[in-house]
Amino acid sequence: MLLNVIIFSKDRAMQLDLLLQSILLNFNVEDYKLNILYKASNDEYNRGYNTIRDLYPQFTYKKEESFKQDLLSLFNDSKYTVFLTDDDIIYQSFNLNNDELHNIFMLTEANCFSLRLGLNTKHCYTMQRLNDLKNFKTHNFYYDTDLIESVISWKVGDGTNDYAYPMSVDGHIFKTEYIKNLCQILEYANPNLFEAMLSNFSRNEMIISSYQNSKLVNSPINKVQDIFQNLSGMKYRYSVEDLNEMYLDGLILNLEKMNFDEINGCHQEIRPIFKVNAE
């Protein structure tokens, strides 16, 4: 198995549905397993997840009981692991096979390969300021004789804000052995604390690599935790309660009609557009 995908979700079945739509459309990875670790605060949210399990039975679902132990149980023999959150969207298509991912890590000497960063991600939503990248390298890769999409790499110390944050759980691919070891030794009880603990291992000499243009965006139109005062819903605010009710009534987010033409950050509120689920 090339890649293990672990998605964290809480009370947001409709937004998770959008992420799964985007994965099926744009996440052209040679060999991967997708796991969803979810938490439902009440029976109505649980109904939302029951609905999504019926719609996407090809994926693995685990209801959270003990976050750390549940997370550790989802690791497998994949060479690489990527974490996602349910408000992520794979907004641009890409192809990735075993040789390409291996070469990206080997030739760029990357500690992580980011799907959410690129030269386009100049705006830091969480800090409400610009990201700065002082220096980066460009790497060209070939598959057989065809040039595939170029990759860039940089040292954490040469970037600011999002460019200086290697330990994200929003679309950063890690070597499984490395990230699993951290998961085992750290103490945490939810995804936010997990990422906070991971961030303690960031070092200026670490290397991040990414495509020249990001493939993933996080759309923070609401939040489901009160541990950190993260910004959300500044432009488009939809409560998780309302979205879950809409989802149970048969509406879904319409990926094809949503506008991703001007993505300039790894967090960016995307205007939701809804449709009746025909399935």
Side-chain angles (χ1 to χ4, degrees):
M1 187 74 65
L2 173 62
L3 183 63
N4 192 29
V5 182
I6 300 176
I7 301 174
F8 304 130
S9 184
K10 180 184 177 184
D11 296 343
R12 294 197 290 205
M14 178 182 273
Q15 286 160 271
L16 175 61
D17 184 293
L18 179 65
L19 171 59
L20 297 181
Q21 289 181 56
S22 74
I23 287 173
L24 292 175
L25 181 65
N26 293 323
F27 193 75
N28 302 308
V29 177
E30 182 178 56
D31 185 23
Y32 70 92
K33 181 179 180 182
L34 192 147
N35 310 275
I36 298 161
L37 178 56
Y38 71 94
K39 183 174 183 178
S41 296
N42 59 41
D43 289 342
E44 289 300 292
Y45 293 124
N46 200 58
R47 285 181 60 206
Y49 287 111
N50 288 339
T51 298
I52 208 167
R53 292 173 73 128
D54 291 340
L55 291 173
Y56 302 93
Q58 66 269 48
F59 302 132
T60 298
Y61 298 83
K62 187 172 184 61
K63 189 171 184 178
E64 182 184 325
E65 296 178 359
S66 172
F67 180 77
K68 179 176 178 177
Q69 294 307 312
D70 293 336
L71 172 56
L72 289 172
S73 74
L74 295 176
F75 281 94
N76 54 37
D77 60 359
S78 300
K79 295 180 181 179
Y80 303 96
T81 296
V82 61
F83 304 113
L84 302 172
T85 61
D86 54 14
D87 50 352
D88 290 333
I89 308 165
I90 308 293
Y91 76 94
Q92 190 172 86
S93 180
F94 66 96
N95 299 286
L96 195 60
N97 63 36
N98 182 76
D99 290 341
E100 292 166 7
L101 191 53
H102 173 73
N103 287 335
I104 286 169
F105 272 88
M106 181 179 67
L107 298 178
T108 68
E109 300 181 317
N111 296 92
C112 68
F113 180 56
S114 174
L115 299 177
R116 74 175 195 159
L117 295 174
L119 296 180
N120 60 304
T121 55
K122 297 294 188 182
H123 182 255
C124 179
Y125 176 93
T126 57
M127 303 292 290
Q128 290 294 291
R129 63 182 65 164
L130 294 177
N131 295 318
D132 183 44
L133 187 58
K134 297 177 183 177
N135 191 26
F136 65 88
K137 297 178 181 179
T138 301
H139 310 266
N140 292 319
F141 297 94
Y142 291 84
Y143 182 63
D144 291 333
T145 59
D146 295 326
L147 178 67
I148 64 173
E149 186 171 356
S150 296
V151 168
I152 60 172
S153 67
W154 64 92
K155 289 185 177 180
V156 167
D158 288 333
T160 65
N161 304 320
D162 296 323
Y163 288 132
Y165 195 73
M167 308 305 287
S168 172
V169 297
D170 287 311
H172 281 199
I173 300 174
F174 301 95
K175 291 182 179 178
T176 296
E177 182 179 8
Y178 169 72
I179 200 67
K180 183 179 179 181
N181 285 338
L182 290 181
C183 290
Q184 289 172 326
I185 65 173
L186 296 174
E187 292 299 326
Y188 48 87
N190 57 59
N192 297 92
L193 290 176
F194 174 52
E195 184 175 84
M197 295 298 292
L198 288 177
S199 68
N200 292 326
F201 288 81
S202 176
R203 300 290 183 269
N204 283 341
E205 64 272 17
M206 293 175 72
I207 294 174
I208 302 174
S209 62
S210 74
Y211 289 116
Q212 287 195 336
N213 197 83
S214 67
K215 308 301 179 186
L216 177 152
V217 64
N218 179 278
S219 181
I221 59 173
N222 50 43
K223 63 180 181 178
V224 291
Q225 56 82 33
D226 54 12
I227 299 172
F228 301 105
Q229 297 305 310
N230 296 338
L231 294 178
S232 67
M234 297 176 65
K235 189 173 183 180
Y236 306 110
R237 177 176 292 277
Y238 288 81
S239 72
V240 292
E241 295 89 350
D242 288 345
L243 290 181
N244 191 67
E245 184 176 342
M246 293 165 67
Y247 193 62
L248 293 177
D249 286 341
L251 294 178
I252 62 172
L253 287 159
N254 190 341
L255 176 66
E256 295 181 356
K257 296 296 184 180
M258 293 171 68
N259 186 357
F260 300 98
D261 288 343
E262 298 181 357
I263 301 299
N264 64 0
C266 57
H267 299 88
Q268 185 169 328
E269 294 180 42
I270 308 300
R271 178 174 171 262
I273 297 178
F274 304 94
K275 71 175 182 178
V276 176
N277 186 12
E279 299 197 18

